[in-house]
Amino acid sequence: QSVLTQPPSVSAAPGQRVTISCSGSSSNIGNNYVSWYQQLPGTAPKLLIYDNNKRPSGIPDRFSGSKSGTSATLGITGLQTGDEADYYCGTWDSSLSAGVFGGGTKVTVL
Amino acid sequence: QVQLVESGGGVVQPGRSLRLSCAASGFSFGRYGMHWVRQAPGKGLEWVAVIWYDGSRNYLADSVKGRFTISRDNSKNTLYLQMNSQRAEDTAMYYCARDSQPRDPRSGPTFDYWGQGTLVTVSS
């Protein structure tokens, strides 16, 4: 059971928008920065969003992040077949004194 | 360019030890915090450990506390994970990852570069 809760899967047609939620508590998301990662099959994770809503260079603006209270959200617009992957949120949990990830969300492009 | 290359994985019997290494290049290794993250087959990401840029501080996940040790040698640009008393549930791909932020990782780590991973299988 992950400390951060994500939906197991989301899906949408090409060109549409999806959002992935990441729910936590005051000991993690509520008081720390959130980052998001994309993991394509058979590869290492890749940073998509950091500090709740910032994109590293090279990440298209189709990807966005937000945080409100103890929840964070990743948005993907203009969905492409290449976006099919697992997505993870992550942060630090001050009560556990440990890094934590969500269980991951599989994005399927219909 | 930034490169992280893990090594040392393999098949190990329950209760035995293994040491993983992560060789870093393309950046000033001694200026960054470093993490180990693992992923069991077909499962999600699990954070394992972090070590401060200068090795002065580290934290471990409860699941490995008392069995695993994280360390680094900044003169060799190398990160280590010493894994003792291995269990079947330690079977996973182990990734090293750089923390990009010049701040305390406890405010929210940011893993900006990852290695390709090294597979550890604990089995008799």
Side-chain angles (χ1 to χ4, degrees), chain B residues 39-95:
Chain B
Q39 186 170 34
K43 302 297 183 182
L45 301 176
E46 180 187 11
W47 177 87
V48 174
V50 61
I51 187 166
W52 261 231
Y53 69 99
D54 59 357
S56 61
R57 205 161 194 169
N58 67 82
Y59 288 88
L60 295 158
D62 283 346
S63 57
V64 306
K65 207 171 288 183
R67 301 187 299 121
F68 290 13
T69 302
I70 185 172
S71 62
R72 64 191 297 162
D73 186 336
N74 286 348
S75 68
K76 295 182 178 179
N77 291 342
T78 303
L79 174 72
Y80 302 101
L81 186 68
Q82 178 67 42
M83 304 185 295
N84 299 333
S85 303
Q86 294 233 263
R87 304 168 180 167
E89 53 265 36
D90 295 325
T91 293
M93 182 72 79
Y94 285 74
Y95 297 99

Side-chain angles (χ1 to χ4, degrees), chain A residues 13-29:
Chain A
Q16 296 299 302
R17 177 176 185 261
V18 295
T19 59
I20 300 171
S21 60
C22 177
S23 178
S25 68
S26 59
S27 65
N28 43 66
I29 292 178

Side-chain angles (χ1 to χ4, degrees), chain A:
Chain A
Q1 204 78 327
S2 301
V3 172
L4 306 180
T5 301
Q6 297 181 232
S9 64
V10 297
S11 61
Q16 296 299 302
R17 177 176 185 261
V18 295
T19 59
I20 300 171
S21 60
C22 177
S23 178
S25 68
S26 59
S27 65
N28 43 66
I29 292 178
N31 283 286
N32 294 307
Y33 291 105
V34 177
S35 52
W36 289 90
Y37 304 87
Q38 176 193 62
Q39 187 176 33
L40 298 169
T43 69
K46 173 184 176 182
L47 177 65
L48 284 181
I49 298 289
Y50 68 99
D51 286 1
N52 305 330
N53 56 17
K54 298 176 183 174
R55 280 178 289 106
S57 60
I59 300 300
D61 58 7
R62 299 188 300 107
F63 295 91
S64 64
S66 64
K67 185 180 106 168
S68 178
T70 59
S71 292
T73 302
L74 174 71
I76 310 174
T77 59
L79 203 58
Q80 302 175 359
T81 55
D83 296 332
E84 285 202 331
D86 294 320
Y87 293 80
Y88 296 90
C89 57
T91 187
W92 185 265
D93 191 293
S94 304
S95 294
L96 297 174
S97 291
V100 290
F101 286 104
T105 298
K106 183 175 184 60
V107 170
T108 301
V109 182
L110 301 172

